[in-house]
Amino acid sequence: MRKHILAMGLALGLSLPTFANADNYVIDTKGAHASVNFKVSHLGYSFTVGRFDKFEGKFTYDPKDIEASSVDVVVDTDSVDSNHAERDKHIRSDDFLDVSKFPKATFKSTKIIDKGDGMFDIVGDLTLHGVTKPVTIVASFIGAGKDPWGGQRAGFSGLTKLELADFGIPVMGASSYVDMELYVEGVKQ
């Protein structure tokens, strides 16, 4: 009888789906170990750079199965900071981001493609200025391990280019696009 119960338990265990070993992380914005940065051409002569100061997010990461990972981020568009108060006021206006109408931008991954050697593409839906479009972030793994406070962390960088017209945002000066540079460090939960 005992062997029969053990055999049934083993058979049941083998028939159940296996679950990924992805770990859950919260993006460390409190410690300023993450940033959402942008770069846009200024008249074709130089670049204006800036960032969004307020955002939050989470991700799952499984180094043995990158494609089982995911990313979910919310950005406060009112927190745009180009190091120039008058320009920021204009970027927030209905001429560009229209933050009173669209106070949040969101990104939710739909697929992670492992490219090997710590490189991968994060494909997902970006909602910006009330428009949702698929975008791809070219990402790289920076590192993971213990932190000095007894926790575990993992860090990544990413790049993507956004065509402003795709999101109903008028051209800013001479540029029809903005380059996004992302740095994400998460604390394992």
Side-chain angles (χ1 to χ4, degrees):
M1 177 69 150
R2 197 168 166 188
K3 286 182 182 179
H4 182 63
I5 292 173
L6 182 59
M8 283 180 46
L10 182 59
L12 180 62
L14 292 174
S15 68
L16 292 174
T18 58
F19 295 98
N21 291 322
D23 292 319
N24 297 314
Y25 292 81
V26 171
I27 296 174
D28 184 8
T29 55
K30 292 179 185 173
H33 295 119
S35 60
V36 175
N37 309 293
F38 63 86
K39 178 177 82 171
V40 64
S41 175
H42 181 253
L43 304 174
Y45 306 133
S46 186
F47 293 95
T48 297
V49 295
R51 66 185 179 273
F52 289 91
D53 291 330
K54 295 180 184 173
F55 62 96
E56 62 185 18
K58 60 187 176 182
F59 62 90
T60 60
Y61 174 61
D62 183 351
K64 293 179 182 169
D65 184 9
I66 298 296
E67 295 177 355
S69 303
S70 65
V71 180
D72 193 355
V73 178
V74 177
V75 176
D76 178 350
T77 58
D78 189 47
S79 72
V80 66
D81 182 355
S82 69
N83 203 32
H84 189 276
E86 285 303 310
R87 178 176 47 232
D88 293 345
K89 184 177 176 183
H90 190 208
I91 294 170
R92 288 183 189 109
S93 78
D94 60 2
D95 287 344
F96 296 110
L97 293 180
D98 198 359
V99 301
S100 64
K101 190 172 180 182
F102 307 109
K104 304 287 181 200
T106 62
F107 176 81
K108 186 168 186 68
S109 66
T110 56
K111 177 170 54 171
I112 310 288
I113 302 167
D114 189 354
K115 308 291 260 186
D117 294 326
M119 301 293 297
F120 44 96
D121 288 342
I122 303 172
V123 180
D125 292 326
L126 175 65
T127 301
L128 174 65
H129 200 247
V131 177
T132 301
K133 293 281 183 180
V135 299
T136 299
I137 299 169
V138 177
S140 62
F141 174 69
I142 297 171
K146 293 181 182 180
D147 64 26
W149 308 280
Q152 294 281 330
R153 293 176 181 257
F156 305 86
S157 64
L159 300 169
T160 194
K161 180 178 287 200
L162 305 178
E163 289 293 335
L164 297 171
D166 288 349
F167 297 94
I169 299 172
V171 171
M172 292 184 176
S175 184
S176 65
Y177 65 90
V178 61
D179 288 312
M180 301 298 297
E181 190 172 20
L182 315 163
Y183 295 97
V184 173
E185 182 177 306
V187 179
K188 184 176 170 182
Q189 300 302 289

